[in-house]
Amino acid sequence: MIWRDTTARTMIGSMLVSSIGMGLYTLALGQTLFQHTGDAQAFAMIFALQGLGAVAVLPFSGPLVDAFDSKAVYVLCSLLRAVTVSVIVLALFTGHGGMVTVVGTAAVFLAVFDNVQRTAFFKFTAHHIAGDRAVAFNSLIGIAIQAGSLIGMAVLGLVLMIGTATQALLVDVAVSLVAALVVSRLRAPRQESAGRLRNSTLRSALPDLLRDWAGLFSRHRHEVVVFGMVLMCAGDFVYSYSLSTLVVPLVDAWHGGQPWAVSALEGTLGAGMIVATFFTRHTVRLVLLPVWVSLQAVIAAGLAFTTAPTLHYVGFFLAGFANLNGITLLLTLLQQHAGPLDKAKMASLRLLAIGLGTAALMPVLGLATRQSLAAAFLTVAALLVPFAACGVWAALRFRPRAADGAKNEAEPRPEPVPA
């Protein structure tokens, strides 16, 4: 039982708490900018800056996290997030003139810390969660992140009823400190391997970083399908983002524009994910990967021509079920397949694929929504076709390694550091 594993239980709780703060501070920062500028594009600016920060740091975060203790990096990122948000709160209380600059800069740093933290989380759990529990753990992590973000948004709404967005940011400071404290007290079951950059000097850091990445690609040079699976991670996230984007026009068109229907459909999507966690022992299998991706595409196509509200709920439930199975399967396989010195770099590639895929494909959906709701859902289905084809390729060609047998072909030896 996964809940009997102290390490798994602690990390799930920490990710839930951390996601609460993430869901809260993202909206609170946008609200803060809107109050100071009156510009409705404030939210878009926050998301754009965070995307910039993520893409900028991910090429470096993998080798860095591989070189150091992942638990220490995770705790440090939580503390740095608390400090950064505290700086914003202090600037607001003191009436700092360049508020837009302060919040924009902070958004970039927060994206950096959050993505490095998730890279460290990927590495830590890949090393310390037993292979037979990895599937159950990874399915629960997806739920924890989604639930945490929704709780954070709800907490923001409650705080705004009695206070301000600035005061809401203090909640994120608190939860970040709690997440850091909880994980810092966790005793890791085993020692992690140290990567190349551990013994790098400042002058050799960049060449060593490039050699570290080159080593990863070299070790997988005969496994191109692995990188195809990394790209597939973007498909699942684009799909879930697309449904969240289209739920409002869907409700407006066929549910009488009732606000509760938006929450109900989102909740149904989440319910499908939660139910999926009870069946992952049977459903998270490599042979089923193309099935889960194809099912999502079929559901999107079906929603394009469905006018019955009841069938919308059925579609969203099945979409959540299939989406979580696909995400969990890809995450577990990539965690276990990466060598001891490649865990964090594999996480960086996965997060980078998600970021770039979202940035490239979501604008396509935006253009389709200007045509019609049906065109938008058909566009989502079309976007998943290459991902489904990649799923067939992975099911036929990918050969996962044993969870405890993933070894690097050549681990770098420590190099002497000049005095």
Side-chain angles (χ1 to χ4, degrees), residues 10 70 96 110 160 169 291 309 315 329:
T10 301
S70 58
H96 190 279
L110 287 170
L160 290 177
L169 291 173
V291 174
L329 177 56

Side-chain angles (χ1 to χ4, degrees), residues 215-307:
L216 169 70
F217 289 108
S218 175
R219 284 184 284 275
H220 295 284
R221 62 186 179 278
H222 300 304
E223 300 176 301
V224 181
V225 67
V226 171
F227 302 111
M229 292 169 64
V230 170
L231 293 176
M232 285 187 68
C233 293
D236 284 309
F237 280 84
V238 167
Y239 186 77
S240 62
Y241 293 159
S242 296
L243 290 188
S244 295
T245 300
L246 296 177
V247 68
V248 174
L250 180 68
V251 168
D252 185 61
W254 303 112
H255 295 254
Q258 297 294 328
W260 61 265
V262 175
S263 299
L265 282 169
E266 287 281 13
T268 303
L269 182 70
M273 292 182 175
I274 293 172
V275 170
T277 63
F278 295 100
F279 298 95
T280 50
R281 180 178 299 181
H282 308 290
T283 56
V284 177
R285 299 178 182 276
L286 179 59
V287 68
L288 295 177
L289 180 59
V291 174
W292 299 130
V293 184
S294 299
L295 179 58
Q296 293 177 79
V298 170
I299 291 170
L303 288 172
F305 302 104
T306 301
T307 61

